[in-house]
PDB file of all heavy atoms in Angstrom:
ATOM      1  N   GLN D 795      12.959  -9.802   6.785  1.00  0.00           N
ATOM      2  CA  GLN D 795      12.599  -8.582   5.994  1.00  0.00           C
ATOM      3  C   GLN D 795      11.169  -8.769   5.407  1.00  0.00           C
ATOM      4  O   GLN D 795      10.840  -9.853   5.082  1.00  0.00           O
ATOM      5  CB  GLN D 795      13.646  -8.286   4.904  1.00  0.00           C
ATOM      6  CG  GLN D 795      14.981  -7.797   5.349  1.00  0.00           C
ATOM      7  CD  GLN D 795      14.911  -6.404   5.906  1.00  0.00           C
ATOM      8  OE1 GLN D 795      14.063  -5.591   5.603  1.00  0.00           O
ATOM      9  NE2 GLN D 795      15.747  -6.090   7.056  1.00  0.00           N
ATOM     10  N   VAL D 796      10.519  -7.712   5.101  1.00  0.00           N
ATOM     11  CA  VAL D 796       9.273  -7.647   4.505  1.00  0.00           C
ATOM     12  C   VAL D 796       9.408  -6.835   3.318  1.00  0.00           C
ATOM     13  O   VAL D 796       9.887  -5.664   3.348  1.00  0.00           O
ATOM     14  CB  VAL D 796       8.161  -7.061   5.486  1.00  0.00           C
ATOM     15  CG1 VAL D 796       6.817  -6.935   4.686  1.00  0.00           C
ATOM     16  CG2 VAL D 796       7.855  -8.107   6.529  1.00  0.00           C
ATOM     17  N   LYS D 797       8.790  -7.369   2.175  1.00  0.00           N
ATOM     18  CA  LYS D 797       8.777  -6.566   0.865  1.00  0.00           C
ATOM     19  C   LYS D 797       7.417  -6.170   0.665  1.00  0.00           C
ATOM     20  O   LYS D 797       6.460  -7.017   0.721  1.00  0.00           O
ATOM     21  CB  LYS D 797       9.375  -7.400  -0.128  1.00  0.00           C
ATOM     22  CG  LYS D 797       9.352  -6.607  -1.581  1.00  0.00           C
ATOM     23  CD  LYS D 797       9.944  -7.524  -2.588  1.00  0.00           C
ATOM     24  CE  LYS D 797       9.863  -6.766  -4.003  1.00  0.00           C
ATOM     25  NZ  LYS D 797      10.417  -7.648  -5.145  1.00  0.00           N
ATOM     26  N   LEU D 798       7.154  -4.960   0.352  1.00  0.00           N
ATOM     27  CA  LEU D 798       5.803  -4.409  -0.078  1.00  0.00           C
ATOM     28  C   LEU D 798       5.720  -3.953  -1.473  1.00  0.00           C
ATOM     29  O   LEU D 798       6.625  -3.188  -1.805  1.00  0.00           O
ATOM     30  CB  LEU D 798       5.429  -3.209   0.894  1.00  0.00           C
ATOM     31  CG  LEU D 798       5.372  -3.454   2.412  1.00  0.00           C
ATOM     32  CD1 LEU D 798       5.080  -2.337   3.187  1.00  0.00           C
ATOM     33  CD2 LEU D 798       4.489  -4.618   2.736  1.00  0.00           C
ATOM     34  N   VAL D 799       4.854  -4.482  -2.235  1.00  0.00           N
ATOM     35  CA  VAL D 799       4.808  -4.176  -3.642  1.00  0.00           C
ATOM     36  C   VAL D 799       3.400  -3.539  -3.860  1.00  0.00           C
ATOM     37  O   VAL D 799       2.397  -4.232  -3.741  1.00  0.00           O
ATOM     38  CB  VAL D 799       4.933  -5.492  -4.496  1.00  0.00           C
ATOM     39  CG1 VAL D 799       4.816  -5.103  -5.928  1.00  0.00           C
ATOM     40  CG2 VAL D 799       6.290  -6.189  -4.263  1.00  0.00           C
ATOM     41  N   GLU D 800       3.594  -2.291  -4.387  1.00  0.00           N
ATOM     42  CA  GLU D 800       2.316  -1.450  -4.549  1.00  0.00           C
ATOM     43  C   GLU D 800       1.972  -1.470  -6.046  1.00  0.00           C
ATOM     44  O   GLU D 800       2.877  -1.496  -6.934  1.00  0.00           O
ATOM     45  CB  GLU D 800       2.480  -0.059  -4.046  1.00  0.00           C
ATOM     46  CG  GLU D 800       2.822  -0.116  -2.647  1.00  0.00           C
ATOM     47  CD  GLU D 800       3.593   1.178  -2.195  1.00  0.00           C
ATOM     48  OE1 GLU D 800       4.466   1.610  -2.867  1.00  0.00           O
ATOM     49  OE2 GLU D 800       3.185   1.839  -1.124  1.00  0.00           O
ATOM     50  N   SER D 801       0.687  -1.211  -6.394  1.00  0.00           N
ATOM     51  CA  SER D 801       0.149  -1.004  -7.715  1.00  0.00           C
ATOM     52  C   SER D 801      -1.056  -0.315  -7.726  1.00  0.00           C
ATOM     53  O   SER D 801      -1.796  -0.199  -6.538  1.00  0.00           O
ATOM     54  CB  SER D 801      -0.005  -2.413  -8.530  1.00  0.00           C
ATOM     55  OG  SER D 801      -0.972  -3.224  -7.804  1.00  0.00           O
ATOM     56  N   GLY D 802      -1.436   0.332  -8.796  1.00  0.00           N
ATOM     57  CA  GLY D 802      -2.699   0.883  -8.856  1.00  0.00           C
ATOM     58  C   GLY D 802      -2.925   2.391  -9.047  1.00  0.00           C
ATOM     59  O   GLY D 802      -3.886   2.890  -9.246  1.00  0.00           O
ATOM     60  N   GLY D 803      -1.740   3.012  -8.936  1.00  0.00           N
ATOM     61  CA  GLY D 803      -1.679   4.518  -9.022  1.00  0.00           C
ATOM     62  C   GLY D 803      -1.824   4.940 -10.447  1.00  0.00           C
ATOM     63  O   GLY D 803      -1.736   4.124 -11.399  1.00  0.00           O
ATOM     64  N   GLY D 804      -2.056   6.284 -10.580  1.00  0.00           N
ATOM     65  CA  GLY D 804      -2.185   6.720 -11.926  1.00  0.00           C
ATOM     66  C   GLY D 804      -2.877   8.145 -12.011  1.00  0.00           C
ATOM     67  O   GLY D 804      -2.950   8.818 -10.973  1.00  0.00           O
ATOM     68  N   LEU D 805      -3.241   8.589 -13.239  1.00  0.00           N
ATOM     69  CA  LEU D 805      -3.782   9.834 -13.504  1.00  0.00           C
ATOM     70  C   LEU D 805      -5.335   9.696 -13.687  1.00  0.00           C
ATOM     71  O   LEU D 805      -5.737   8.950 -14.483  1.00  0.00           O
ATOM     72  CB  LEU D 805      -3.190  10.501 -14.656  1.00  0.00           C
ATOM     73  CG  LEU D 805      -3.806  11.867 -15.184  1.00  0.00           C
ATOM     74  CD1 LEU D 805      -3.667  12.913 -14.275  1.00  0.00           C
ATOM     75  CD2 LEU D 805      -3.185  12.163 -16.496  1.00  0.00           C
ATOM     76  N   VAL D 806      -6.093  10.397 -12.830  1.00  0.00           N
ATOM     77  CA  VAL D 806      -7.594  10.313 -13.018  1.00  0.00           C
ATOM     78  C   VAL D 806      -8.053  11.810 -12.995  1.00  0.00           C
ATOM     79  O   VAL D 806      -7.436  12.631 -12.372  1.00  0.00           O
ATOM     80  CB  VAL D 806      -8.296   9.455 -11.899  1.00  0.00           C
ATOM     81  CG1 VAL D 806      -7.727   7.952 -12.043  1.00  0.00           C
ATOM     82  CG2 VAL D 806      -7.968  10.050 -10.433  1.00  0.00           C
ATOM     83  N   GLN D 807      -9.285  11.980 -13.446  1.00  0.00           N
ATOM     84  CA  GLN D 807     -10.038  13.259 -13.403  1.00  0.00           C
ATOM     85  C   GLN D 807     -10.671  13.287 -12.067  1.00  0.00           C
ATOM     86  O   GLN D 807     -10.987  12.367 -11.399  1.00  0.00           O
ATOM     87  CB  GLN D 807     -11.011  13.382 -14.499  1.00  0.00           C
ATOM     88  CG  GLN D 807     -10.364  13.340 -15.870  1.00  0.00           C
ATOM     89  CD  GLN D 807     -11.448  13.488 -17.010  1.00  0.00           C
ATOM     90  OE1 GLN D 807     -12.536  13.569 -16.726  1.00  0.00           O
ATOM     91  NE2 GLN D 807     -11.033  13.586 -18.226  1.00  0.00           N
ATOM     92  N   PRO D 808     -10.964  14.536 -11.645  1.00  0.00           N
ATOM     93  CA  PRO D 808     -11.787  14.807 -10.376  1.00  0.00           C
ATOM     94  C   PRO D 808     -13.045  13.921 -10.494  1.00  0.00           C
ATOM     95  O   PRO D 808     -13.757  14.037 -11.531  1.00  0.00           O
ATOM     96  CB  PRO D 808     -11.952  16.259 -10.439  1.00  0.00           C
ATOM     97  CG  PRO D 808     -10.821  16.854 -11.098  1.00  0.00           C
ATOM     98  CD  PRO D 808     -10.492  15.896 -12.233  1.00  0.00           C
ATOM     99  N   GLY D 809     -13.356  13.239  -9.460  1.00  0.00           N
ATOM    100  CA  GLY D 809     -14.582  12.552  -9.336  1.00  0.00           C
ATOM    101  C   GLY D 809     -14.331  11.027  -9.700  1.00  0.00           C
ATOM    102  O   GLY D 809     -15.250  10.215  -9.503  1.00  0.00           O
ATOM    103  N   GLY D 810     -13.140  10.730 -10.242  1.00  0.00           N
ATOM    104  CA  GLY D 810     -12.821   9.496 -10.653  1.00  0.00           C
ATOM    105  C   GLY D 810     -12.522   8.483  -9.510  1.00  0.00           C
ATOM    106  O   GLY D 810     -12.439   8.981  -8.305  1.00  0.00           O
ATOM    107  N   SER D 811     -12.108   7.321  -9.854  1.00  0.00           N
ATOM    108  CA  SER D 811     -11.739   6.301  -8.755  1.00  0.00           C
ATOM    109  C   SER D 811     -10.449   5.610  -9.222  1.00  0.00           C
ATOM    110  O   SER D 811     -10.108   5.456 -10.275  1.00  0.00           O
ATOM    111  CB  SER D 811     -12.902   5.280  -8.651  1.00  0.00           C
ATOM    112  OG  SER D 811     -14.066   5.888  -8.216  1.00  0.00           O
ATOM    113  N   LEU D 812      -9.831   5.123  -8.106  1.00  0.00           N
ATOM    114  CA  LEU D 812      -8.623   4.315  -8.245  1.00  0.00           C
ATOM    115  C   LEU D 812      -8.689   3.293  -7.053  1.00  0.00           C
ATOM    116  O   LEU D 812      -9.135   3.462  -6.004  1.00  0.00           O
ATOM    117  CB  LEU D 812      -7.304   4.964  -8.074  1.00  0.00           C
ATOM    118  CG  LEU D 812      -6.773   5.867  -9.431  1.00  0.00           C
ATOM    119  CD1 LEU D 812      -5.624   6.645  -8.988  1.00  0.00           C
ATOM    120  CD2 LEU D 812      -6.566   4.991 -10.534  1.00  0.00           C
ATOM    121  N   ARG D 813      -8.079   2.126  -7.435  1.00  0.00           N
ATOM    122  CA  ARG D 813      -7.884   1.058  -6.347  1.00  0.00           C
ATOM    123  C   ARG D 813      -6.437   0.685  -6.235  1.00  0.00           C
ATOM    124  O   ARG D 813      -5.839   0.144  -7.134  1.00  0.00           O
ATOM    125  CB  ARG D 813      -8.742  -0.251  -6.674  1.00  0.00           C
ATOM    126  CG  ARG D 813      -8.804  -1.195  -5.501  1.00  0.00           C
ATOM    127  CD  ARG D 813      -9.267  -2.605  -5.990  1.00  0.00           C
ATOM    128  NE  ARG D 813      -9.678  -3.346  -4.949  1.00  0.00           N
ATOM    129  CZ  ARG D 813      -9.862  -4.736  -5.006  1.00  0.00           C
ATOM    130  NH1 ARG D 813      -9.405  -5.337  -6.066  1.00  0.00           N
ATOM    131  NH2 ARG D 813     -10.087  -5.408  -4.019  1.00  0.00           N
ATOM    132  N   LEU D 814      -5.917   1.018  -5.112  1.00  0.00           N
ATOM    133  CA  LEU D 814      -4.462   0.696  -4.830  1.00  0.00           C
ATOM    134  C   LEU D 814      -4.337  -0.622  -4.093  1.00  0.00           C
ATOM    135  O   LEU D 814      -5.170  -1.110  -3.377  1.00  0.00           O
ATOM    136  CB  LEU D 814      -3.822   1.723  -3.853  1.00  0.00           C
ATOM    137  CG  LEU D 814      -3.955   3.151  -4.322  1.00  0.00           C
ATOM    138  CD1 LEU D 814      -3.221   4.018  -3.297  1.00  0.00           C
ATOM    139  CD2 LEU D 814      -3.442   3.434  -5.722  1.00  0.00           C
ATOM    140  N   SER D 815      -3.385  -1.379  -4.507  1.00  0.00           N
ATOM    141  CA  SER D 815      -3.051  -2.710  -3.854  1.00  0.00           C
ATOM    142  C   SER D 815      -1.650  -2.729  -3.287  1.00  0.00           C
ATOM    143  O   SER D 815      -0.839  -2.117  -3.974  1.00  0.00           O
ATOM    144  CB  SER D 815      -3.177  -3.839  -4.864  1.00  0.00           C
ATOM    145  OG  SER D 815      -4.539  -3.828  -5.439  1.00  0.00           O
ATOM    146  N   CYS D 816      -1.430  -3.501  -2.187  1.00  0.00           N
ATOM    147  CA  CYS D 816      -0.214  -3.681  -1.779  1.00  0.00           C
ATOM    148  C   CYS D 816      -0.105  -5.094  -1.200  1.00  0.00           C
ATOM    149  O   CYS D 816      -0.833  -5.642  -0.383  1.00  0.00           O
ATOM    150  CB  CYS D 816       0.021  -2.733  -0.585  1.00  0.00           C
ATOM    151  SG  CYS D 816       1.615  -2.960   0.421  1.00  0.00           S
ATOM    152  N   VAL D 817       0.929  -5.834  -1.818  1.00  0.00           N
ATOM    153  CA  VAL D 817       1.115  -7.233  -1.409  1.00  0.00           C
ATOM    154  C   VAL D 817       2.359  -7.344  -0.639  1.00  0.00           C
ATOM    155  O   VAL D 817       3.454  -6.811  -1.062  1.00  0.00           O
ATOM    156  CB  VAL D 817       1.252  -8.087  -2.699  1.00  0.00           C
ATOM    157  CG1 VAL D 817       1.514  -9.569  -2.296  1.00  0.00           C
ATOM    158  CG2 VAL D 817      -0.006  -7.995  -3.579  1.00  0.00           C
ATOM    159  N   ALA D 818       2.253  -7.894   0.546  1.00  0.00           N
ATOM    160  CA  ALA D 818       3.397  -8.196   1.502  1.00  0.00           C
ATOM    161  C   ALA D 818       3.964  -9.541   1.341  1.00  0.00           C
ATOM    162  O   ALA D 818       3.220 -10.545   1.214  1.00  0.00           O
ATOM    163  CB  ALA D 818       3.040  -7.880   2.856  1.00  0.00           C
ATOM    164  N   SER D 819       5.347  -9.650   1.297  1.00  0.00           N
ATOM    165  CA  SER D 819       5.920 -10.881   1.257  1.00  0.00           C
ATOM    166  C   SER D 819       7.141 -10.936   2.208  1.00  0.00           C
ATOM    167  O   SER D 819       7.548  -9.830   2.589  1.00  0.00           O
ATOM    168  CB  SER D 819       6.443 -11.316  -0.328  1.00  0.00           C
ATOM    169  OG  SER D 819       7.292 -10.304  -0.667  1.00  0.00           O
ATOM    170  N   GLY D 820       7.579 -12.151   2.508  1.00  0.00           N
ATOM    171  CA  GLY D 820       8.770 -12.284   3.403  1.00  0.00           C
ATOM    172  C   GLY D 820       8.368 -12.704   4.778  1.00  0.00           C
ATOM    173  O   GLY D 820       7.497 -13.493   4.862  1.00  0.00           O
ATOM    174  N   SER D 821       8.946 -12.068   5.695  1.00  0.00           N
ATOM    175  CA  SER D 821       8.674 -12.403   7.089  1.00  0.00           C
ATOM    176  C   SER D 821       7.398 -11.699   7.590  1.00  0.00           C
ATOM    177  O   SER D 821       7.446 -10.765   8.474  1.00  0.00           O
ATOM    178  CB  SER D 821       9.814 -12.106   8.052  1.00  0.00           C
ATOM    179  OG  SER D 821      10.999 -12.796   7.695  1.00  0.00           O
ATOM    180  N   ILE D 822       6.306 -12.042   7.086  1.00  0.00           N
ATOM    181  CA  ILE D 822       5.019 -11.462   7.345  1.00  0.00           C
ATOM    182  C   ILE D 822       4.222 -11.937   8.531  1.00  0.00           C
ATOM    183  O   ILE D 822       3.134 -11.295   8.824  1.00  0.00           O
ATOM    184  CB  ILE D 822       4.167 -11.448   6.104  1.00  0.00           C
ATOM    185  CG1 ILE D 822       4.049 -12.823   5.479  1.00  0.00           C
ATOM    186  CG2 ILE D 822       4.756 -10.483   5.041  1.00  0.00           C
ATOM    187  CD1 ILE D 822       2.808 -13.586   6.156  1.00  0.00           C
ATOM    188  N   PHE D 823       4.629 -12.858   9.255  1.00  0.00           N
ATOM    189  CA  PHE D 823       3.764 -13.589  10.239  1.00  0.00           C
ATOM    190  C   PHE D 823       3.366 -12.824  11.328  1.00  0.00           C
ATOM    191  O   PHE D 823       2.341 -13.038  11.951  1.00  0.00           O
ATOM    192  CB  PHE D 823       4.477 -14.924  10.616  1.00  0.00           C
ATOM    193  CG  PHE D 823       4.750 -15.861   9.519  1.00  0.00           C
ATOM    194  CD1 PHE D 823       6.027 -16.034   9.006  1.00  0.00           C
ATOM    195  CD2 PHE D 823       3.766 -16.563   8.928  1.00  0.00           C
ATOM    196  CE1 PHE D 823       6.224 -16.830   7.895  1.00  0.00           C
ATOM    197  CE2 PHE D 823       3.900 -17.531   7.858  1.00  0.00           C
ATOM    198  CZ  PHE D 823       5.251 -17.671   7.434  1.00  0.00           C
ATOM    199  N   TYR D 824       4.296 -11.802  11.692  1.00  0.00           N
ATOM    200  CA  TYR D 824       4.124 -11.084  12.940  1.00  0.00           C
ATOM    201  C   TYR D 824       3.437  -9.677  12.583  1.00  0.00           C
ATOM    202  O   TYR D 824       3.255  -8.844  13.517  1.00  0.00           O
ATOM    203  CB  TYR D 824       5.371 -10.870  13.714  1.00  0.00           C
ATOM    204  CG  TYR D 824       5.919 -12.225  14.158  1.00  0.00           C
ATOM    205  CD1 TYR D 824       6.939 -12.859  13.586  1.00  0.00           C
ATOM    206  CD2 TYR D 824       5.249 -12.724  15.313  1.00  0.00           C
ATOM    207  CE1 TYR D 824       7.428 -14.027  14.000  1.00  0.00           C
ATOM    208  CE2 TYR D 824       5.734 -14.012  15.730  1.00  0.00           C
ATOM    209  CZ  TYR D 824       6.738 -14.659  15.126  1.00  0.00           C
ATOM    210  OH  TYR D 824       7.174 -15.897  15.622  1.00  0.00           O
ATOM    211  N   ILE D 825       3.220  -9.350  11.335  1.00  0.00           N
ATOM    212  CA  ILE D 825       2.592  -8.039  10.968  1.00  0.00           C
ATOM    213  C   ILE D 825       1.205  -7.978  11.609  1.00  0.00           C
ATOM    214  O   ILE D 825       0.431  -8.812  11.390  1.00  0.00           O
ATOM    215  CB  ILE D 825       2.645  -7.858   9.442  1.00  0.00           C
ATOM    216  CG1 ILE D 825       4.042  -7.695   8.966  1.00  0.00           C
ATOM    217  CG2 ILE D 825       1.766  -6.633   9.157  1.00  0.00           C
ATOM    218  CD1 ILE D 825       4.146  -7.560   7.386  1.00  0.00           C
ATOM    219  N   ASN D 826       0.906  -6.804  12.213  1.00  0.00           N
ATOM    220  CA  ASN D 826      -0.272  -6.514  12.845  1.00  0.00           C
ATOM    221  C   ASN D 826      -1.134  -5.589  11.925  1.00  0.00           C
ATOM    222  O   ASN D 826      -2.215  -5.856  11.492  1.00  0.00           O
ATOM    223  CB  ASN D 826      -0.172  -6.044  14.297  1.00  0.00           C
ATOM    224  CG  ASN D 826      -1.606  -5.616  14.834  1.00  0.00           C
ATOM    225  OD1 ASN D 826      -1.873  -4.464  15.036  1.00  0.00           O
ATOM    226  ND2 ASN D 826      -2.351  -6.672  15.073  1.00  0.00           N
ATOM    227  N   ARG D 827      -0.501  -4.298  11.803  1.00  0.00           N
ATOM    228  CA  ARG D 827      -1.225  -3.298  11.017  1.00  0.00           C
ATOM    229  C   ARG D 827      -0.662  -3.052   9.650  1.00  0.00           C
ATOM    230  O   ARG D 827       0.582  -3.176   9.382  1.00  0.00           O
ATOM    231  CB  ARG D 827      -1.089  -1.973  11.803  1.00  0.00           C
ATOM    232  CG  ARG D 827      -1.838  -1.933  13.045  1.00  0.00           C
ATOM    233  CD  ARG D 827      -1.595  -0.565  13.747  1.00  0.00           C
ATOM    234  NE  ARG D 827      -2.302  -0.534  15.061  1.00  0.00           N
ATOM    235  CZ  ARG D 827      -3.542  -0.129  15.170  1.00  0.00           C
ATOM    236  NH1 ARG D 827      -4.255   0.354  14.102  1.00  0.00           N
ATOM    237  NH2 ARG D 827      -4.225   0.063  16.326  1.00  0.00           N
ATOM    238  N   MET D 828      -1.550  -2.863   8.653  1.00  0.00           N
ATOM    239  CA  MET D 828      -1.102  -2.503   7.315  1.00  0.00           C
ATOM    240  C   MET D 828      -1.973  -1.233   6.962  1.00  0.00           C
ATOM    241  O   MET D 828      -3.119  -1.080   7.545  1.00  0.00           O
ATOM    242  CB  MET D 828      -1.315  -3.526   6.276  1.00  0.00           C
ATOM    243  CG  MET D 828      -0.468  -4.681   6.557  1.00  0.00           C
ATOM    244  SD  MET D 828      -0.575  -5.991   5.227  1.00  0.00           S
ATOM    245  CE  MET D 828       0.291  -5.046   3.900  1.00  0.00           C
ATOM    246  N   GLY D 829      -1.430  -0.350   6.166  1.00  0.00           N
ATOM    247  CA  GLY D 829      -2.239   0.844   5.873  1.00  0.00           C
ATOM    248  C   GLY D 829      -1.508   1.613   4.683  1.00  0.00           C
ATOM    249  O   GLY D 829      -0.544   1.174   4.126  1.00  0.00           O
ATOM    250  N   TRP D 830      -2.078   2.806   4.428  1.00  0.00           N
ATOM    251  CA  TRP D 830      -1.755   3.694   3.450  1.00  0.00           C
ATOM    252  C   TRP D 830      -1.439   5.009   4.059  1.00  0.00           C
ATOM    253  O   TRP D 830      -2.278   5.604   4.778  1.00  0.00           O
ATOM    254  CB  TRP D 830      -2.756   3.736   2.327  1.00  0.00           C
ATOM    255  CG  TRP D 830      -2.957   2.523   1.649  1.00  0.00           C
ATOM    256  CD1 TRP D 830      -3.770   1.472   1.950  1.00  0.00           C
ATOM    257  CD2 TRP D 830      -2.162   2.114   0.448  1.00  0.00           C
ATOM    258  NE1 TRP D 830      -3.656   0.464   1.033  1.00  0.00           N
ATOM    259  CE2 TRP D 830      -2.690   0.817   0.089  1.00  0.00           C
ATOM    260  CE3 TRP D 830      -1.191   2.672  -0.268  1.00  0.00           C
ATOM    261  CZ2 TRP D 830      -2.158   0.076  -0.978  1.00  0.00           C
ATOM    262  CZ3 TRP D 830      -0.689   1.896  -1.337  1.00  0.00           C
ATOM    263  CH2 TRP D 830      -1.164   0.626  -1.633  1.00  0.00           C
ATOM    264  N   TYR D 831      -0.364   5.655   3.708  1.00  0.00           N
ATOM    265  CA  TYR D 831       0.085   7.038   3.933  1.00  0.00           C
ATOM    266  C   TYR D 831       0.307   7.710   2.688  1.00  0.00           C
ATOM    267  O   TYR D 831       0.341   7.129   1.527  1.00  0.00           O
ATOM    268  CB  TYR D 831       1.322   7.070   4.779  1.00  0.00           C
ATOM    269  CG  TYR D 831       1.277   6.568   6.195  1.00  0.00           C
ATOM    270  CD1 TYR D 831       1.038   5.241   6.513  1.00  0.00           C
ATOM    271  CD2 TYR D 831       1.322   7.435   7.230  1.00  0.00           C
ATOM    272  CE1 TYR D 831       1.038   4.790   7.768  1.00  0.00           C
ATOM    273  CE2 TYR D 831       1.324   7.059   8.573  1.00  0.00           C
ATOM    274  CZ  TYR D 831       1.132   5.773   8.779  1.00  0.00           C
ATOM    275  OH  TYR D 831       1.101   5.266  10.078  1.00  0.00           O
ATOM    276  N   ARG D 832       0.215   9.111   2.659  1.00  0.00           N
ATOM    277  CA  ARG D 832       0.361   9.757   1.594  1.00  0.00           C
ATOM    278  C   ARG D 832       1.295  10.994   1.770  1.00  0.00           C
ATOM    279  O   ARG D 832       1.225  11.602   2.994  1.00  0.00           O
ATOM    280  CB  ARG D 832      -0.912  10.193   0.821  1.00  0.00           C
ATOM    281  CG  ARG D 832      -1.701  11.308   1.605  1.00  0.00           C
ATOM    282  CD  ARG D 832      -3.086  11.454   0.829  1.00  0.00           C
ATOM    283  NE  ARG D 832      -3.842  12.495   1.514  1.00  0.00           N
ATOM    284  CZ  ARG D 832      -5.117  12.768   1.186  1.00  0.00           C
ATOM    285  NH1 ARG D 832      -5.743  12.132   0.085  1.00  0.00           N
ATOM    286  NH2 ARG D 832      -5.891  13.630   1.862  1.00  0.00           N
ATOM    287  N   GLN D 833       1.929  11.453   0.926  1.00  0.00           N
ATOM    288  CA  GLN D 833       2.821  12.594   1.008  1.00  0.00           C
ATOM    289  C   GLN D 833       2.852  13.500  -0.326  1.00  0.00           C
ATOM    290  O   GLN D 833       3.176  12.993  -1.287  1.00  0.00           O
ATOM    291  CB  GLN D 833       4.228  12.278   1.405  1.00  0.00           C
ATOM    292  CG  GLN D 833       5.141  13.445   1.657  1.00  0.00           C
ATOM    293  CD  GLN D 833       6.402  12.954   2.410  1.00  0.00           C
ATOM    294  OE1 GLN D 833       6.849  11.819   2.297  1.00  0.00           O
ATOM    295  NE2 GLN D 833       7.032  13.909   3.087  1.00  0.00           N
ATOM    296  N   ALA D 834       2.461  14.706  -0.164  1.00  0.00           N
ATOM    297  CA  ALA D 834       2.362  15.655  -1.224  1.00  0.00           C
ATOM    298  C   ALA D 834       3.607  16.619  -1.054  1.00  0.00           C
ATOM    299  O   ALA D 834       4.099  16.736  -0.008  1.00  0.00           O
ATOM    300  CB  ALA D 834       1.170  16.446  -1.231  1.00  0.00           C
ATOM    301  N   PRO D 835       4.179  17.061  -2.230  1.00  0.00           N
ATOM    302  CA  PRO D 835       5.331  18.030  -2.093  1.00  0.00           C
ATOM    303  C   PRO D 835       5.073  19.140  -1.051  1.00  0.00           C
ATOM    304  O   PRO D 835       4.066  19.780  -1.105  1.00  0.00           O
ATOM    305  CB  PRO D 835       5.506  18.643  -3.494  1.00  0.00           C
ATOM    306  CG  PRO D 835       4.811  17.540  -4.443  1.00  0.00           C
ATOM    307  CD  PRO D 835       3.669  16.959  -3.666  1.00  0.00           C
TER     308      PRO D 835
END
């Protein structure tokens, strides 16, 4: 199993910046692609 721990989200004003982080742990040796998706209501 692989565990993904995310951080960095929050509330910002238009024009602002955020940096998201995702740390993978567990059986990570065969992972090829990592990325970010988003979903709005």
Side-chain angles (χ1 to χ4, degrees):
Q795 291 289 331
V796 172
K797 181 180 179 181
L798 304 175
V799 179
E800 301 159 317
S801 62
L805 172 65
V806 297
Q807 296 183 0
S811 298
L812 286 173
R813 190 194 194 202
L814 307 183
S815 299
C816 175
V817 180
S819 61
S821 301
I822 52 85
F823 302 105
Y824 297 104
I825 291 175
N826 177 249
R827 293 179 179 269
M828 296 187 69
W830 294 93
Y831 290 70
R832 68 185 181 189
Q833 188 165 21

